Amino acid sequence: MNGDRIVIFDTTLRDGEQSPGCSMNTREKLEVARALVELGVDVIEAGFPIASPGDFEAVSAIAAACGDRTTICALARSREDDINRAKQALAAAQYRRIHVFLATSAIHREFKLKMDKQQIIERAVASVSLAKEFCDDIEFSPEDAVRTELDFLCEVVEKTIAVGATTVNIPDTVGYATPSHYHRVISHLKQHVPNIDRAIISAHCHDDLGLAVANSLAAVEAGARQVECTINGLGERAGNAALEEIVMAIRTRADYYKVHTRINTRKLYPTSHLVSSITGMKVQRNKAIVGQNAFAHEAGIHQHGVLQERSTYEIMRPEDVGYVGQNLVLGKHSGRHAFRDRVVQLGFTLDEAALQQAFDDFIALADKKKEVYDSDITALIENRLQDAVDSWKLIRFHTSAGTGTIPTATVELQFEEQSAVCDAATGDGPIDAVFRAMLRITGLQAKLEEFDVRSVSEGQDALGEVHLSIGFGGRHYQGKGVSTDIIEAAARAFLQALNREYVDLRSGGVTPVRPQG
Ligand code: KIV
Ligand code: ZN
């Protein structure tokens, strides 16, 4: 292995989840956490337990389910209550870390905390000491470190290491740094903090200037040995540094960085897909490493070159990131056996009932569509997995529309094990009519904010994938649905978003009332 190992600290479930419209419930977080373990991340920041009962529940569940294989981390402000809550949530984890943070920049000291430098030092030292009573593995973050006076930053880092911080994270909280600037900050700490060798320096970058990955790599060059990142670069505002980009940059340019990670890169694409599917936050087509076009060569001259010798235009092999392309896989006559093998190769673990359901869906699709691709199979399975956990399920719908008629939809939904409910509505078009009927049945309120359709694979008969976002009461919920029928895909996406709104309202103690009649 090339040089030092870089610790990959994944914060998809904490900083990533703070992204508007990307909140996940405990079951969804557990699914992501399990995928992160398989991916090989070193630390999973599972949440911020004091933030809400839901966060506490999720961190506890992840600690119990994954804490014997990967370090589970919980975030806490520098307050006794926060730290105690983090301790409780992590109790079941064999490998655990508390991540304590306190802002240090002049702007935060003056306007947010109203504390002077001495008080900041005292609070940080007391908090790290308190966390240390619970576990050895303690991370301290001077929030907004990049805009903190360097001398003061050195002092805070030195004093928190002295009382037991084993990782010191240097957040670029507002995405203000540039690569050479961030490199200088990390180098300065290495040169001026006398006990810096007793802790790992960590990079934590936000992407407000589109520099999060570049800054993180600059930190690695300067000696940071942990990088904090999220799948697909999910995160507040413009997001955090993208895990897949950091990992593949380190691997592809091992000649330059001379470090390595423990990540199983073949799981990058499936994990990206899972996170996108669960959060409903789609990955842009030309996104590095995991975008649909990341390995597509359009220009003839490139295609020709790649056919002659791959390395002419390809610096990474698609299979190394687990990329599921447009592989033509199975046809209508492929047996169940071949289908099962393909499903396993695509990274799914299905029980017999789920496999049978997926196979039935595949046969139904193969009846409509001559060629079935890996991406189609993935979409069908994800559809079913989502269906299995949603409270409201789509039973059937019918629409009527055309020139000179009023678009009308009749929709039948079922809530958990109760009997199905049917209602009808008119709308501006058939999709709008379906959405309105669903709102009538569920009693939920929502405004459609975004709506996007794309095809999953090639051809006129391709599966259509709808991504949409709805808003209610200042909250945003994403949904995704696939079908060869675009209206059905839209209906599924809308219902997924409504299910998310429902779970959110219920966790806040509100049960939507369904209109009678
Ligand atoms: O961006 C930030 O400063 C954070 C801290 C809590 C580490 O996310
Ligand atoms: Zn952050």
Side-chain angles (χ1 to χ4, degrees):
M1 272 295 163
N2 210 336
D4 289 351
R5 176 152 74 85
I6 300 298
V7 173
I8 297 294
F9 177 108
D10 180 277
T11 184
T12 306
L13 296 173
R14 200 278 298 169
D15 225 351
E17 206 231 0
Q18 287 173 217
S19 185
C22 285
S23 54
M24 295 172 243
N25 59 36
T26 297
R27 185 201 56 79
E28 292 168 331
K29 287 185 184 175
L30 257 175
E31 203 177 332
V32 172
R34 290 200 170 99
L36 293 172
V37 172
E38 293 305 319
L39 179 64
V41 307
D42 300 283
V43 185
I44 295 175
E45 188 166 47
F48 188 11
I50 195 104
S52 71
D55 252 55
F56 179 82
E57 180 192 89
V59 178
S60 311
I62 293 168
C66 307
D68 57 341
R69 291 183 63 191
T70 304
T71 299
I72 308 301
C73 174
L75 184 69
R77 285 168 299 185
S78 288
R79 296 179 181 194
E80 204 173 322
D81 285 356
D82 282 40
I83 295 168
N84 287 337
R85 202 78 178 128
K87 290 178 182 177
Q88 288 162 8
L90 290 174
Q94 187 181 340
Y95 305 111
R96 52 207 188 187
R97 172 183 295 187
I98 297 184
H99 176 187
V100 181
F101 74 100
L102 181 64
T104 50
S105 66
I107 302 171
H108 282 239
R109 291 194 313 261
E110 186 182 342
F111 297 107
K112 185 174 91 175
L113 299 171
K114 306 199 185 330
M115 288 165 79
D116 63 24
K117 288 181 175 172
Q118 192 50 37
Q119 289 170 313
I120 296 280
I121 302 258
E122 282 165 15
R123 175 81 72 86
V125 163
S127 306
V128 170
S129 307
L130 181 62
K132 195 76 180 176
E133 290 170 11
F134 173 71
C135 59
D136 242 13
D137 190 346
I138 303 297
E139 173 166 331
F140 178 73
S141 286
E143 191 190 2
D144 204 16
V146 158
R147 294 192 298 170
T148 300
E149 306 90 318
L150 275 177
D151 288 354
F152 182 53
L153 185 62
C154 286
E155 193 181 343
V156 176
V157 166
E158 181 185 346
K159 300 229 160 104
T160 49
I161 293 175
V163 290
T166 43
T167 300
V168 281
N169 184 38
I170 308 301
D172 180 16
T173 305
V174 292
Y176 181 70
T178 62
S180 51
H181 171 199
Y182 200 51
H183 188 286
R184 234 181 310 126
V185 173
I186 305 293
S187 304
H188 190 91
L189 290 169
K190 277 196 79 93
Q191 283 159 19
H192 294 91
V193 175
N195 56 1
I196 198 73
D197 291 341
R198 284 165 47 193
I200 289 181
I201 301 179
S202 166
H204 178 113
C205 299
H206 282 268
D207 208 29
D208 299 67
L209 293 173
L211 294 170
V213 169
N215 289 342
S216 305
L217 292 170
V220 168
E221 273 196 84
R225 287 296 174 261
Q226 173 176 287
V227 176
E228 304 202 351
C229 40
T230 60
I231 301 292
N232 299 336
L234 214 62
E236 271 201 295
R237 309 186 307 278
N240 288 57
L243 180 148
E244 59 281 1
E245 295 178 24
I246 306 262
V247 166
M248 287 313 286
I250 286 175
R251 181 183 147 134
T252 309
R253 297 307 312 275
D255 61 316
Y256 180 74
Y257 289 109
K258 300 200 185 331
V259 291
H260 67 278
T261 73
R262 222 168 51 89
I263 297 296
N264 175 359
T265 60
R266 286 176 175 258
K267 299 267 179 194
L268 286 172
Y269 191 82
T271 312
S272 155
H273 214 79
L274 177 76
V275 169
S276 162
S277 172
I278 285 182
T279 58
M281 184 74 109
K282 79 173 182 199
V283 173
Q284 87 202 41
R285 263 185 125 88
N286 62 340
K287 160 94 176 60
I289 316 296
V290 291
Q292 241 196 327
N293 288 0
F295 295 96
H297 298 279
E298 190 72 22
I301 196 163
H302 287 204
Q303 288 175 351
H304 182 71
V306 169
L307 287 175
Q308 302 295 315
E309 165 54 43
R310 242 179 168 179
S311 59
T312 49
Y313 287 101
E314 247 176 40
I315 58 165
M316 295 168 278
R317 294 183 310 168
E319 55 269 34
D320 289 344
V321 304
Y323 175 71
V324 178
Q326 299 295 343
N327 295 339
L328 175 59
V329 277
L330 308 165
K332 190 165 144 176
H333 302 295
S334 310
R336 201 166 172 280
H337 214 74
F339 180 76
R340 178 205 295 266
D341 285 353
R342 199 68 209 156
V343 166
V344 171
Q345 278 168 26
L346 289 173
F348 293 101
T349 318
L350 303 182
D351 61 26
E352 272 312 308
L355 184 76
Q356 186 57 48
Q357 204 160 46
F359 185 64
D360 294 344
D361 288 347
F362 158 70
I363 292 294
L365 181 64
D367 255 342
K368 289 187 202 157
K369 194 173 180 296
K370 282 195 299 293
E371 297 167 331
V372 179
Y373 296 87
D374 280 344
S375 46
D376 292 324
I377 295 179
T378 304
L380 289 176
I381 295 175
E382 285 176 355
N383 234 10
R384 283 291 180 185
L385 291 177
Q386 186 60 43
D387 263 12
V389 295
D390 282 344
S391 293
W392 283 103
K393 292 188 177 38
L394 177 65
I395 305 297
R396 66 181 66 106
F397 74 91
H398 170 82
T399 56
S400 125
T403 40
T405 64
I406 297 174
T408 312
T410 308
V411 176
E412 192 175 329
L413 302 181
Q414 184 178 21
F415 183 76
E416 292 172 355
E417 299 311 316
Q418 299 176 12
S419 26
V421 185
C422 189
D423 209 335
T426 56
D428 289 336
I431 292 179
D432 184 43
V434 168
F435 291 177
R436 286 174 191 266
M438 285 183 169
L439 291 174
R440 284 177 61 86
I441 296 173
T442 58
L444 290 160
Q445 296 174 51
K447 195 165 164 310
L448 183 68
E449 291 175 336
E450 275 173 48
F451 185 93
D452 201 23
V453 196
R454 70 174 190 102
S455 75
V456 171
S457 53
E458 292 165 2
Q460 269 194 347
D461 51 3
L463 281 176
E465 183 171 278
V466 170
H467 281 262
L468 54 74
S469 165
I470 60 173
F472 175 65
R475 311 269 290 169
H476 310 275
Y477 309 93
Q478 317 267 349
K480 183 176 109 174
V482 291
S483 170
T484 46
D485 173 354
I486 239 36
I487 301 178
E488 183 180 335
R492 290 189 177 281
F494 194 70
L495 194 58
Q496 186 184 104
L498 286 181
N499 270 299
R500 292 207 159 110
E501 180 184 334
Y502 175 78
V503 170
D504 196 30
L505 290 177
R506 204 180 45 185
S507 70
V510 181
T511 306
V513 181
R514 292 209 321 258
Q516 300 297 309

